[in-house]
Amino acid sequence: MQHIFSTDLTSGLYTDMYQLSMAHSHFNYNRHNEQVVFDYFFRKQPFNGGFTIFSGLGELLGLLQEFKFSDRDIDWLHKYGFNDSYLEYLRDFRFKGNLFSMREGEVVFPQEPLIRVEGNIVEAQLAETVLLNYLNFQSLVATKAARIKLVARGAALSEFGLRRAQGLGGLFASRAALTGGFTSTSNVLAASIYNVPAVGTMAHAYIQSYSDELTAFRDFANINPEGCVLLVDTFDTLKIGLPNAITVAKEMEAKGHKLMGIRLDSGDLAYLSKQSRQMLDDAGLNYVKIVVSNQLDEHIIKSLFEQGAPIDVFGVGTNLATGKPDAALDGVYKLSLANNEPSLKLSENIKKTTLPGRKQVYRFTDDAGNFVADAIALEDDPTPEDIYHPYEPDKHRSLNGIKAEALLQPVMKNGELLHTPTPVLDVAAYATERLSKLTEEYKRFENPHVYKVGVSKALLDLRNTLRSKYKKDSL
C-alpha cells in the first residue's frame, strides 16, 4: 500500500483535482498555450495585527523546479477519464513560467501582489495549489513568530511545535518560525534541513520513570553535561524540583561543568520564575537560565514581562506551529491578465473585486528609512506620485518627492531560478531589518494603525472601466 513516505512531494498530483480538470479542458480545446498572469495576495491581516511577514518562497521555488508527473502518477490518473493525449502532455509537463516576487522576509500588507506568475494557462493554474499551500501557512506562522519576538525583550526563542502541528506541516512551521525570528527548534529534522540548532530538555515521563527525582536529574546531567536543562515541575517546583536542581548544579560545578538551565512547564510562570531566580541566585547559580514553556503566545509572554518575570528562554509550541487562533492566512491567487488583455473578478462586494493587469508594488520610505505607504501600479507606468484608496477613491494621498523602491523582482525565468534561494537565517535577518522600519503604531497588538496601501490613478481607472464594461455586458 502506498503511503506518504513513498510519495514524491514534487509530484504533479500535489494539487486540487479541479486544476487537472480545467487543464484537461484547456488542452482539448487547444487553449493550453494561451498566456496568462496570476497574482498572489491576501485580504486581511492575521491575528488582528498590522503586518504580515512573507514566508515560504524558497521552498516554493525549489518545488516548482521539480514539479512533474511520474509514470505512476499518469497511470493513477487514467481512472479519472482523462484522455490519452492529455495524459501524455502531463507526462512531459514542466513548469516553464516566470515568477516575480517580493523578497522572502518582506513586511507585507493586504491587497498587494506578493507574487506574480506568468506562463501558459495550464502551468499557471497547476502552480496555484502548491503556491497557496506553501505561502499561506508559512507566512501565517512567520507572522506569529515575529509578533512573539517583538515582546520577547531579547529572550531566546525556541520553536517546540512539532507534536501539535498539522502533520508534515510541522517542518514548514519550524522554518517559518525561524523566518519570524526564532533561533532554534526542537524539531531535529528541521534543524538538520535548515542548518539551525536543535534543542531539547526532558519530559516529565523521564523523571517519573525513576524512583526519585534527584537520581533522575543526576543521571541526565551525567550523560548530558553540555547544555543540560532540568525540568523542575514534575512534583513540586519550589520544594522538590528546584532544590534537586540546585544540588545537581553544585555537583556539576565540582566536575567542571555548569547546569545550563531549569525549565518551568506549568503553574504560575511569573511567580515561579521569580522564586526560582531568587533561589538560584542565593545558591550562587546566577548563570543558570530559566526556560519556560506551556501554551505560550505573544500575549502571555508580554504579560509575563509586564509582571517582572525573569525569564531567559521561551519554548513556544502549539500556538505558534498552528498559527492559533487564526489557523490560516486568507491568501488567494487570481487571474489578472489573459492573452495580453487585463482581466478582473467581479463581486457584489467591491473589496473582493480584483485588480487587473500586470502590476508592480512600490514602497515609499521617509528620510529615516521608515515605511510610509505602498502603491500598486500597472507595471509599465511610472512610479506613481499619488495613491488612491482602492475602495474609497475620494481618499487619496500625494507621495510626490518621497523615495520609492519596486518590491516585485524576477526570481524565476522560463522555469529556471535566477538566483540560489536565500538560507532561512538570512531571510530571518532581512525580516528583522524590514520590521524595524515599520513604526510602532503598526506593531501594537491592540488596534494597530492601518498601513496605507493605495493604487495608482491609472490602475484605478482600468479597474473601474472593466467593472463597468462587465456589468453592462451582464445586463
Side-chain angles (χ1 to χ4, degrees):
M1 180 179 69
Q2 184 181 349
H3 53 74
I4 186 120
F5 300 109
S6 64
T7 301
D8 181 356
L9 293 183
T10 64
S11 166
L13 300 183
Y14 194 174
T15 190
D16 290 308
M17 178 56 82
Y18 83 152
Q19 309 287 13
L20 292 169
S21 298
M22 289 187 291
H24 188 216
S25 179
H26 288 317
F27 178 81
N28 281 282
Y29 287 101
N30 200 31
R31 301 183 67 241
H32 54 290
N33 288 320
E34 292 184 7
Q35 298 298 296
V36 296
V37 173
F38 279 83
D39 295 324
Y40 166 68
F41 61 96
F42 65 97
R43 294 192 174 105
K44 178 180 177 292
Q45 294 285 22
F47 315 118
N48 294 316
F51 67 89
T52 294
I53 301 296
F54 176 45
S55 180
L57 177 66
E59 298 280 1
L60 174 67
L61 293 176
L63 182 146
L64 288 178
Q65 268 207 310
E66 303 297 327
F67 199 60
K68 61 188 180 300
F69 293 86
S70 68
D71 290 342
R72 185 173 69 179
D73 295 338
I74 299 300
D75 290 343
W76 187 85
L77 286 172
H78 269 288
K79 65 183 178 181
Y80 286 94
F82 298 124
N83 61 42
D84 289 343
S85 56
Y86 171 61
L87 291 177
E88 287 307 307
Y89 168 78
L90 290 183
R91 191 188 304 274
D92 295 330
F93 174 85
R94 296 293 185 274
F95 182 83
K96 297 294 183 182
N98 302 328
L99 257 70
F100 295 77
S101 178
M102 293 193 185
R103 185 169 169 180
E104 188 169 15
E106 186 60 86
V107 178
V108 295
F109 305 96
Q111 306 303 329
E112 53 192 26
L114 310 185
I115 285 185
R116 187 172 81 231
V117 178
E118 302 178 351
N120 69 52
I121 195 166
V122 170
E123 64 190 353
Q125 289 208 250
L126 289 181
E128 175 180 4
T129 299
V130 292
L131 182 151
L132 293 172
N133 179 252
Y134 275 44
L135 301 183
N136 282 339
F137 180 64
Q138 292 193 53
S139 297
L140 180 80
V141 175
T143 304
K144 187 77 169 179
R147 286 165 60 85
I148 291 170
K149 184 179 178 182
L150 282 175
V151 296
R153 301 189 183 184
L157 298 171
S158 186
E159 181 269 320
F160 281 10
L162 182 59
R163 63 183 57 204
R164 299 282 178 80
Q166 290 93 338
L168 291 178
L171 282 173
F172 291 150
S174 297
R175 183 184 186 277
L178 295 165
T179 299
F182 279 53
T183 55
S184 61
T185 177
S186 67
N187 184 338
V188 180
L189 180 57
S192 172
I193 293 171
Y194 303 121
N195 193 30
V196 298
V199 299
T201 60
M202 57 169 55
H204 296 104
Y206 176 84
I207 298 164
Q208 291 173 261
S209 70
Y210 281 77
S211 59
D212 69 283
E213 185 179 67
L214 183 57
T215 302
F217 283 180
R218 281 172 170 157
D219 283 359
F220 189 84
N222 184 56
I223 205 70
N224 298 289
E226 301 301 323
C228 179
V229 178
L230 300 176
L231 179 61
V232 297
D233 68 340
T234 303
F235 303 116
D236 187 304
T237 300
L238 300 180
K239 293 181 180 179
I240 301 175
L242 249 297
N244 284 337
I246 290 170
T247 296
V248 171
K250 291 297 186 180
E251 292 172 353
M252 292 179 71
E253 282 184 340
K255 297 176 182 178
H257 299 293
K258 286 187 175 181
L259 177 66
M260 176 177 283
I262 57 102
R263 177 162 73 100
L264 303 170
D265 189 53
S266 62
D268 185 332
L269 297 179
Y271 172 76
L272 292 174
S273 62
K274 292 176 188 177
Q275 295 300 309
S276 296
R277 182 76 276 156
Q278 186 64 55
M279 291 172 67
L280 290 167
D281 290 352
D282 289 347
L285 299 171
N286 61 332
Y287 60 83
V288 175
K289 297 185 181 300
I290 295 177
V291 182
V292 301
S293 51
N294 187 27
Q295 301 299 317
L296 301 174
D297 64 13
E298 63 268 46
H299 300 286
I300 293 173
I301 292 172
K302 182 173 182 289
S303 174
L304 286 169
F305 278 128
E306 288 171 348
Q307 296 173 71
I311 296 168
D312 303 292
V313 182
F314 292 94
V316 188
T318 304
N319 292 325
L320 172 61
T322 63
K324 192 176 180 180
D326 281 16
L329 182 71
D330 68 339
V332 294
Y333 185 82
K334 297 297 182 182
L335 182 72
S336 62
L337 187 143
N339 280 328
N340 248 4
E341 292 294 327
S343 177
L344 58 72
K345 174 192 174 295
L346 276 183
S347 173
E348 293 301 320
N349 181 350
I350 185 64
K351 292 184 178 181
K352 289 195 173 183
T353 297
T354 60
L355 295 172
R358 186 181 279 109
K359 297 175 287 294
Q360 179 58 270
V361 180
Y362 297 92
R363 177 152 297 162
F364 293 81
T365 55
D366 62 20
D367 292 341
N370 294 322
F371 301 159
V372 173
D374 287 5
I376 309 169
L378 294 168
E379 183 189 44
D380 294 333
D381 287 348
T383 304
E385 295 183 351
D386 299 277
I387 56 171
Y388 294 78
H389 193 289
Y391 315 120
E392 301 175 47
D394 57 317
K395 295 182 179 180
H396 63 278
R397 173 177 178 171
S398 173
L399 296 169
N400 187 28
I402 303 178
K403 181 181 178 182
E405 60 177 319
L407 297 183
L408 290 173
Q409 298 297 325
V411 293
M412 180 177 275
K413 183 175 183 179
N414 300 325
E416 296 296 328
L417 297 184
L418 297 180
H419 55 77
T420 302
T422 307
V424 68
L425 293 184
D426 291 341
V427 173
Y430 181 73
T432 297
E433 174 200 346
R434 298 297 275 184
L435 195 54
S436 72
K437 298 178 184 299
L438 189 68
T439 51
E440 293 305 313
E441 63 267 25
Y442 302 106
K443 294 186 281 195
R444 62 189 180 221
F445 291 169
E446 300 297 328
N447 301 311
H449 203 62
V450 177
Y451 184 82
K452 290 180 173 60
V453 177
V455 298
S456 69
K457 185 65 163 58
L459 177 56
L460 185 67
D461 289 345
L462 176 61
R463 187 195 69 181
N464 292 341
T465 298
L466 289 176
R467 190 165 179 260
S468 297
K469 175 182 180 297
Y470 291 164
K471 281 186 172 292
K472 181 180 179 181
D473 291 346
S474 69
L475 294 177

